[in-house]
Each structure stands twice: as C-alpha cells, then as structure tokens.
Amino acid sequence: MSKRIVVGTDGSVSAAAAVEWAVDDATRKKVPLHIVSVVERWPYSIARYPAPPDAGDTLVHAAERILADAAARALRHRPEATVTTEMIEGYPAAVLRDQEKDAAQIVVGSRGLGGFAGAMLGSVSGHVAGQAHCPVVVVRPDAEATHGEIVVGVDDSAECEPALAYAFEQALLRGATLRALHAWLSPRHGYVPGIPYDMDDVRRAQHQLLAQRLATLGGKYPRVTVIEDVQCAHPVDALTQASKRADLVVVGSHGRGTVGALLLGSVSRALLHHSSCPVAVVRS
C-alpha cells in the first residue's frame, strides 16, 4: 500500500500554501493526503499562572475549525483528492516528525502563527526538516509562479543520491525540466605559485563528477530533460539564485548534529531561509 503525504496546518497563510502544495503532489503521486493539526495545551503555563480552566476546549475547537478549513481548501483545489484529517495533542515539531512512519513525505509551511514577523523559517519547519528521515518539503506562501523547472543540488557525497532520485521523480510527474546544479569553490591555494593545481583540470573534474552522478538515474528516467549546470560558486548562492526560476529545489542533508535543526547541513539550512520557492530536504 502506498504511503500518504502528511501536511501540518495551524491556520496560517504559510500552512494554507503548504496544504495546496501537498494536495497537488498527492494527486500527482496518486496517494492520500493526511492533514494534521496539533493541539499544544497552553505551552506557556507555569505553576503561578496556570492555564484557564476552559483553555483546552478552546484549543480543541480551534484545531477542529482549522482542520475543516484546510480539508475544504484541499478539496476545492483538487476535488479528486483523497483527504483525511487528524487532531493530535503534543508539541507540533515532535508530532509532525513522528508522522514519518506512515508518510511518503511531510509538508510544512515555512513559518506558522507563532513565528516572528519577517522570519523566513519557523522553529517547527526547521526542526521537522532537521529530524524527520522521510523527505520534508518546506513551502513559502509567496511562491506561486510555475516555471517548469526542478533544481537539485549535486555534490560528491552519498547524501545527494536520494535527493537526486526524488528530484527525477518530481520532474517526471510534473513534466518539468531537471536542472542538476553542482557548485564548487576554487581550491584555496589554486593560484599560489609552487602548488601544483591545474584549474582547467579542476573544472573538467567537476563536470565529470556531475555527469557520473547523473548517468545511472538518467537512464532510468529517459523522458526527463536534464540540464547539467556546473558553477564555480558557493552552493548556497548558486541554489538560491536558481530557486528564483524553479518550482522546487531539492537538496540532501549532511547534518550530523544531535539537537533539533542542527541535523540539517549548513547548505540545506541556509537554503530554507533564502530560497524563493519550496525546498525539499531528502535524507539518506
């Protein structure tokens, strides 16, 4: 049985964008969409200032309304979709992360109702993207244009292989072009006399690396048009720039931390803050 796509909602504008993105993807993949709203029981309560007696009921009623609105939005957007809803009590980031066992992927808005004005990435989306083992897509509310291009970051690590497979699948399902972007920085001592760097050889090696990465998957997805894009630039700068003309940017994660969003690598974490389009973080 195919796994479902899970999307979290808190009634925010960002969550509404995530619901629409998720139902589109669920329809393309022909899998159910499961919408989750989390009830966090008076998170600021302390002994001296306990929660009001009816706070729990108020929060539950609000979550029910949010779920009903989200389901209606999804079905207006994609009437043919299969949509279920669930209200769960707990901490939002932990609840959404725990959905991974039944999820093909988790979709979240970039910033929820509790976010600071002007913040590009909320704590919940950062933690889910950093901790969940299934693909996590973070959606911004202002990324609505369709460009017909998927961008995937490629490097020489094993972490990029699941991201490449995910990106090929997205490009195939959407009928989009796949831009495989490999950004590299010049060797620090590349132009220092006496150190044997041949920059032409270095450039050729970067192109060969990308071609080798694409060789296997390209054969499995012959219908996907691939653009090989090799740039001498910082990966964050190159991917951020590419996101301006993309429908989705896909990255792996090199994070090896143990706390929250530290499990995100530096490139994926920075991209979540600066990308102009949705970002999929795909872990190995």
Side-chain angles (χ1 to χ4, degrees):
M1 180 179 177
S2 297
K3 288 189 173 183
R4 60 196 182 184
I5 289 178
V6 174
V7 59
T9 182
D10 61 359
S12 64
V13 173
S14 185
V19 167
E20 292 189 359
W21 194 98
V23 75
D24 278 340
D25 211 44
T27 302
R28 280 190 291 265
K29 294 181 177 180
K30 296 181 172 59
V31 298
L33 175 67
H34 189 60
I35 306 175
V36 174
S37 183
V38 182
V39 175
E40 189 174 10
R41 296 272 183 177
W42 207 251
Y44 308 110
S45 179
I46 57 178
R48 187 172 178 180
Y49 302 102
D54 59 348
D57 292 340
T58 301
L59 292 171
V60 167
H61 292 326
E64 290 173 343
R65 184 177 64 254
I66 287 169
L67 279 174
D69 290 347
R73 175 182 290 273
L75 290 171
R76 281 196 305 270
H77 195 63
R78 290 284 188 174
E80 70 274 32
T82 299
V83 178
T84 58
T85 62
E86 184 177 12
M87 181 175 56
I88 305 174
E89 185 173 333
Y91 296 103
V95 168
L96 290 172
R97 181 198 63 214
D98 290 345
Q99 296 294 308
E100 66 182 7
K101 60 182 179 298
D102 298 317
Q105 67 186 15
I106 299 171
V107 183
V108 290
S110 58
R111 185 167 59 87
L113 290 172
F116 292 100
M120 301 293 284
L121 183 70
S123 60
V124 172
S125 49
H127 277 73
V128 175
Q131 294 183 332
H133 293 286
C134 66
V136 175
V137 181
V138 178
V139 181
R140 291 185 57 187
D142 52 354
E144 296 180 352
T146 300
H147 302 276
E149 182 170 291
I150 304 297
V151 174
V152 59
V154 182
D155 60 19
D156 60 353
S157 71
E159 283 83 359
C160 85
E161 293 177 3
L164 260 176
Y166 180 93
F168 265 99
E169 181 190 23
Q170 284 285 339
L172 179 64
L173 291 172
R174 295 164 179 258
T177 297
L178 177 62
R179 179 177 296 273
L181 196 160
H182 173 54
W184 60 283
L185 296 173
S186 300
R188 186 174 299 176
H189 305 297
Y191 298 103
V192 176
I195 296 181
Y197 281 117
D198 185 322
M199 292 306 297
D200 288 336
D201 283 347
V202 172
R203 291 188 185 94
R204 281 192 293 271
Q206 305 306 322
H207 283 273
Q208 289 170 0
L209 183 155
L210 179 57
Q212 290 168 358
R213 283 290 189 193
L214 293 172
T216 302
L217 281 170
K220 293 180 179 178
Y221 294 90
R223 292 166 53 194
V224 175
T225 299
V226 179
I227 298 173
E228 296 186 18
D229 189 350
V230 179
Q231 300 183 27
C232 183
H234 193 284
V236 173
D237 295 336
L239 289 167
T240 300
Q241 187 64 30
S243 74
K244 296 177 181 179
R245 58 180 183 274
D247 300 324
L248 178 69
V249 175
V250 183
V251 290
S253 180
H254 295 182
R256 297 174 179 86
T258 57
V259 179
L262 292 180
L263 283 168
L264 283 172
S266 59
V267 171
S268 50
R269 183 168 60 247
L271 188 61
L272 287 173
H273 281 280
H274 300 296
S275 175
S276 299
C277 70
V279 176
V281 178
V282 184
R283 306 182 69 82
S284 59

